[in-house]
Amino acid sequence: MKSRCGVRGSRLVAAALLILAAIAPCSSQARQAPRKRVRVIPAQEQALHDLLVKAKAEADAKNYSAAQADYEKYLAQKPEDAAAHFDLGYVYTAQQKTEEAIGEYRKAIALDPKMLQAHLNLGMSLLAENPQEAIPPLEKVVELDYSVERGHYVLGLAEERTGDSAAAEKELTVAVKLDPDDADAHAALAHVLLNEKKASAAETEFRELLRLKSGDAGAEIGLAQSLLLQNRAADALAVLEGYLKTNPSDARARVMQASLLVQMGKDDEALSALDEAAKSGPESLDALELRSEIYFAKKDWAKAAAVLQ
């Protein structure tokens, strides 16, 4: 009985193993990776993609008219693409179509409020004609990323043009700290400081500008003006004379030179400077007034009267 039971038991185990083998996958099939599904792009979607690629290539090649046409065609079918609206705005900007560019930057921002570059380009586009309206998008730029130097610079320009010198000084100071080699930011800050009569600080900025742009006419004139505000006539005169060696026909600088010479009691040299200025064209009212003062000081009444007339 024991042996029969043992045989029967063995047969049952074997039968069970055969059933499991039949229903289990073979080992080679189990190791096979599942097949990847290939996504089929609809023809219309592919055509749109190709149109966008073509528009970008045309913009990169500065073929702006063709790029504009393709972007407009693309956006007519896919108006929810914020990046494409921004790109079209850039293409409009490149063609000096400012109003159209402003419209596209606004659409890009409406679709993607955190698109920093769209806020910056919008502010820059508004700056020339409407600096007050340029301030909110530029404030958004520095809110989104305080480290963007250009945002502070352009915001400072907008605030200066709206008459808020204190706010302009603050933003431009941040700009030059973020990028000490930005000559435009140094120039803008220097002129704001000069207008605020902060002559010493203006002098520092003009000298920094001259470090970056040696021989820059505006920087040299500004430096002379900042020195003059500090009652440093001799230093201002030295700067002007150096400038006039390379810009001898600058009548405005010649009149400044003459004014400084008068302050130093050098009336004859001042008259010579005014004569040089007159060679560039009709004398300005400032030049005529200064000339009359010199003749009065010299008691040359006839010449003084002629100049006043």
Side-chain angles (χ1 to χ4, degrees), residues 154-212:
V154 185
L155 177 56
L157 292 183
E159 289 170 332
E160 188 271 334
R161 293 180 189 183
T162 58
D164 193 345
S165 295
E169 180 187 342
K170 177 185 175 183
E171 293 302 328
L172 292 168
T173 299
V174 174
V176 298
K177 285 181 180 177
L178 288 170
D179 185 359
D181 293 332
D182 187 341
D184 292 338
H186 282 289
L189 178 57
H191 284 102
V192 166
L193 292 167
L194 189 63
N195 290 335
E196 292 182 311
K197 308 299 181 186
K198 297 181 179 180
S200 179
E203 177 192 349
T204 300
E205 290 303 318
F206 281 123
R207 291 193 185 280
E208 191 63 19
L209 178 56
L210 284 168
R211 179 187 70 82
L212 296 167

Side-chain angles (χ1 to χ4, degrees), residues 3 15 20 41 45 48 53 55 96 98 149 178 194 220-221 227 236 253 260-262 289:
S3 60
L20 286 173
I41 301 175
E45 188 177 338
L48 269 178
V53 170
Q96 298 183 337
T98 306
E149 183 269 345
L178 288 170
L194 189 63
E220 290 186 320
I221 293 294
L227 292 167
L260 289 168
L261 289 165
V262 167
E289 184 178 4

